[in-house]
C-alpha cells in the first residue's frame, strides 16, 4: 500500500484552499481490510473513481495465518491484504494510508470526507469498512499472546491446535458454549469460570457428558515460559498447565463516523452495531457499512462478500441515478439533430402515427 498522503495521491496540495476544486471521487472506502478492498475491487472494475483510506489496523493483524478462505487457507493476513491492494490498484483505485475523521454531508446527498492529515475529498457515496476492536479480558499476559496461543475462534484456529490440552475462559455471554464446541477438536478441554459465578444446569450436564473439566476461581495471570503459554495461574496460586487458551473479548464496532452522522444502530448480544439492509446500506442515504463494522460474526470470507455486494449496488445506484437526471434534462431543440439516446422512429412508423397521413386512411 502506498504510504503517501491523499494530497500526494490525488496530486493536490495540503487542504483545499477557497476557490480551488476539491478532489472528486465516485466512492470513498474507509477501511482497507477484506470488506473495503472487495468493495473497491468491484467498483474499480466498474470504472468508478475510487479512493481507499486505510488506517492500517486490521483486526487479524496479530494472527500468523488466516483459515477458512477458499484458495487462501493458511495465508498470512498481511500477504492477503498486500495481494488485495495489488489487485485493486490494477483497476485505477487509489490507496492512501490515513484516517477519515469525519463525513460531512454536502446538502446534495453527497459527502466531504475529512482526513487526519488535513486533507479533504468529495465522495458521491461512502463505504465504511472500519471493522471492530476486540476489548480483551483484563488478565496480565493475555493481550501479548492474542492471536498466538491465546485464540478466540474454533473455526479459525481449531484445526491447528487439535488434540492439544485446551483452556477456555468462560464469559457471561458465552458460558460453557465455546468449551463444549471445542470438544470437536480436542477431548482435553478445561473451562475456567473466571468471573462467571455459575453455569446453568443444562451446561453442567453437557459439560459432564462432553468430559469438560470446570475450574472455579478467577484467573490472575497467564504463565509464560520461553515466549510460550505454559498455563493459567489462579488467584490462589494454583497453576493449570495449558499450552492454548481460547478467550473471547468483547467486540466493539468502530462506528464513530456513522454515529456522528446519526446512523441508526441495532442491538446485539455484544452491544450496538450499525443497522444495515442486506446490501450494507445504512439509514444515512449514500452511506454503506460492510464487514465487521456491521457485526462481530463476519469472518474474512464473509467480509469480502459483503464488500462485493455493496459495491455492485452502489454502482447500479449511480448509473441509474445519473440516467434519471440525464433523462429529465434532455431536450431536442426545434430543427436540431436529436439528442443522444432520443427515440427515432422509422419513416413508416412516423407516417402511421402522424394525423392525416396516408397510412391512417
Amino acid at each position: 500500500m502506498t504510504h503517501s498522503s491523499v494530497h500526494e495521491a490525488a496530486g493536490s496540495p495540503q487542504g483545499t484552499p477557497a476557490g480551488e476544486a476539491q478532489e472528486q471521487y465516485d466512492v470513498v472506502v474507509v477501511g482497507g481490510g477484506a470488506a473495503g478492498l472487495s468493495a473497491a475491487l468491484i467498483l474499480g472494475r466498474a470504472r468508478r473513481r475510487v479512493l481507499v483510506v486505510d488506517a492500517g489496523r486490521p483486526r487479524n493483524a496479530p494472527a500468523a495465518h488466516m483459515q477458512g478462505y477458499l484458495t487462501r487457507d493458511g495465508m498470512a493476513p498481511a500477504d492477503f491484504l498486500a495481494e488485495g491492494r495489488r489487485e485493486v490498484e490494477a483497476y485505477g483505485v487509489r490507496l492512501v494510508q490515513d484516517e477519515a475523521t469525519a463525513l460531512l454531508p454536502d446538502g446534495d446527498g453527497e459527502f466531504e470526507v475529512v482526513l487526519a492529515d488535513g486533507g479533504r475529498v468529495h465522495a458521491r457515496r461512502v463505504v465504511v469498512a472500519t471493522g471492530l476492536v476486540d476489548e480483551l479480558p483484563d488478565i496480565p499476559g493475555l493481550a501479548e499472546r492474542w492471536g498466538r496461543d491465546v485464540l478466540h475462534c474454533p473455526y479459525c484456529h481449531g484445526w491447528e491446535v487439535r488434540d492439544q490440552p485446551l483452556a477456555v475462559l468462560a464469559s457471561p455471554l458465552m458460558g460453557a458454549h465455546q468449551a463444549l464446541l471445542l470438544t470437536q477438536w480436542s477431548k482435553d478441554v478445561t473451562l475456567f469460570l473466571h468471573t462467571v459465578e455459575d453455569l446453568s444446569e443444562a451446561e453442567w450436564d453437557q459439560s459432564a457428558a462432553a468430559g469438560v473439566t470446570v475450574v472455579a476461581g478467577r484467573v490472575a495471570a497467564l504463565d509464560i515460559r520461553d515466549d510460550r503459554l505454559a498455563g493459567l495461574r489462579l488467584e490462589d496460586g494454583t497453576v493449570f498447565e495449558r499450552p492454548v487458551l481460547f478467550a473471547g473479548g468483547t467486540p466493539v464496532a468502530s462506528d464513530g463516523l456513522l454515529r456522528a452522522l446519526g446512523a441508526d444502530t441495532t442491538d446485539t448480544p455484544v452491544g450496538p452495531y450499525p443497522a444495515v439492509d442486506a446490501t450494507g446500506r445504512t439509514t444515512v442515504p449514500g452511506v454503506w457499512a460492510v464487514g465487521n463494522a456491521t457485526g462481530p460474526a463476519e469472518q474474512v470470507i464473509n467480509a469480502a462478500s459483503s464488500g462485493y455486494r455493496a459495491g455492485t449496488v452502489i454502482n447500479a445506484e449511480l448509473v441509474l441515478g445519473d440516467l434519471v437526471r440525464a433523462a429529465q434534462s434532455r431536450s431536442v431543440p426545434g430543427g436540431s439533430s436529436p439528442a443522444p439516446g432520443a427515440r427515432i422512429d422509422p419513416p413508416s412508423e412516423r407516417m402511421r402515427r402522424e394525423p392525416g397521413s396516408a397510412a391512417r386512411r
Side-chain angles (χ1 to χ4, degrees):
M1 177 178 178
T2 180
H3 290 270
S4 63
S5 71
V6 70
H7 317 299
E8 294 167 328
S12 60
Q14 179 91 358
T16 307
E20 185 173 312
Q22 195 175 65
E23 190 71 13
Q24 306 287 314
Y25 291 93
D26 289 318
V27 183
V28 170
V29 179
V30 184
L37 289 176
S38 185
L41 177 65
I42 199 64
L43 287 162
R45 287 180 54 83
R47 308 181 71 180
R48 290 294 174 187
R49 183 166 172 78
V50 181
L51 173 70
V52 176
V53 181
D54 184 24
R57 296 190 292 267
R59 182 190 186 192
N60 62 356
H65 306 95
M66 47 175 266
Q67 276 76 33
Y69 197 121
L70 192 63
T71 77
R72 295 295 182 266
D73 188 62
M75 192 174 192
D79 293 343
F80 175 80
L81 293 180
E83 179 66 14
R85 290 191 289 265
R86 185 195 66 77
E87 289 183 358
V88 302
E89 285 184 308
Y91 295 103
V93 172
R94 293 181 182 274
L95 300 165
V96 294
Q97 186 167 342
D98 205 336
E99 186 170 356
T101 58
L103 305 176
L104 306 178
D106 69 354
D108 293 321
E110 299 181 357
F111 301 88
E112 185 177 79
V113 182
V114 182
L115 304 179
D117 73 351
R120 296 184 179 220
V121 297
H122 185 86
R124 300 178 67 191
R125 299 292 184 270
V126 176
V127 177
V128 176
T130 46
L132 58 79
V133 175
D134 291 292
E135 293 186 350
L136 303 179
D138 186 16
I139 298 175
L142 189 147
E144 292 77 8
R145 308 304 303 177
W146 183 250
R148 302 170 67 185
D149 36 31
V150 175
L151 311 171
H152 76 287
C153 171
Y155 296 101
C156 303
H157 309 289
W159 173 264
E160 285 67 35
V161 298
R162 64 194 182 279
D163 298 326
Q164 296 186 41
L166 305 179
V168 180
L169 194 68
S171 70
L173 177 63
M174 298 293 287
H177 174 78
Q178 195 165 49
L180 298 173
L181 191 61
L182 279 162
T183 60
Q184 176 62 25
W185 285 269
S186 173
K187 299 307 178 186
D188 186 356
V189 177
T190 299
L191 175 64
F192 293 82
L193 294 184
H194 190 45
T195 60
V196 175
E197 294 184 1
D198 203 356
L199 301 176
S200 68
E201 185 176 344
E203 288 176 317
W204 279 114
D205 290 342
Q206 292 166 3
S207 297
V212 173
T213 300
V214 179
V215 177
R218 293 179 68 98
V219 177
L222 301 189
D223 184 16
I224 309 300
R225 304 172 198 168
D226 299 324
D227 195 33
R228 300 186 66 177
L229 175 64
L232 287 75
R233 185 172 72 253
L234 301 187
E235 287 184 334
D236 66 6
T238 305
V239 174
F240 291 83
E241 293 189 356
R242 299 272 115 175
V244 179
L245 169 64
F246 280 83
T250 301
V252 179
S254 300
D255 60 353
L257 293 173
L258 296 172
R259 287 179 177 273
L261 284 173
D264 289 351
T265 60
T266 184
D267 290 332
T268 76
V270 294
Y273 274 80
V276 296
D277 69 7
T279 72
R281 192 191 306 266
T282 71
T283 56
V284 178
V287 179
W288 275 254
V290 295
N292 276 139
T294 66
E298 297 296 300
Q299 301 293 343
V300 178
I301 195 166
N302 306 118
S305 174
S306 70
Y308 184 104
R309 191 163 50 243
T312 63
V313 173
I314 291 169
N315 179 65
E317 180 174 290
L318 290 173
V319 169
L320 298 178
D322 289 345
L323 290 177
V324 168
R325 284 186 291 274
Q328 291 171 343
S329 62
R330 184 168 59 98
S331 63
V332 183
S336 65
S337 299
R343 171 173 172 165
I344 303 176
D345 291 328
S348 59
E349 179 66 12
R350 289 200 301 272
M351 290 177 63
R352 186 186 69 79
R353 294 170 58 191
E354 291 171 0
S357 67
R360 278 188 170 271
R361 298 190 184 101

